[in-house]
């Protein structure tokens, strides 16, 4: 794996369980412990502020 994907965390859309890329790569199929197969990339709680023009 590349260095950029080391800290990437995904979370299940149904139950919200956080899963790392390493844990997903070890599994035979991409599936959460609840059985759901849809994940989203977890975003940090940082609010970006843009300067108005």
């Amino acid at each position: 794996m590349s260095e950029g994907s080391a800290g990437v965390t995904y979370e299940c859309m149904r139950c919200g369980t956080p899963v790392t890329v390493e844990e997903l790569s070890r599994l035979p199929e991409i599936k959460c412990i609840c059985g759901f197969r849809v994940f989203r990339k977890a975003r940090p709680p940082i609010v970006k502020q843009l300067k108005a023009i």
Side-chain angles (χ1 to χ4, degrees):
M1 298 244 156
S2 65
E3 289 180 30
S5 64
V8 177
T9 304
Y10 294 95
E11 58 184 28
C12 176
M13 290 292 288
R14 181 188 286 169
C15 66
T17 303
V19 183
T20 61
V21 175
E22 291 80 22
E23 292 172 351
L24 286 175
S25 65
R26 282 187 253 143
L27 298 174
E29 59 184 354
I30 297 176
K31 189 187 283 188
C32 180
I33 56 173
C34 69
F36 208 60
R37 294 175 185 237
V38 181
F39 291 91
R40 71 179 180 128
K41 190 174 184 179
R43 305 230 182 251
I46 299 171
V47 178
K48 292 185 179 179
Q49 294 182 351
L50 301 175
K51 189 175 186 181
I53 298 175

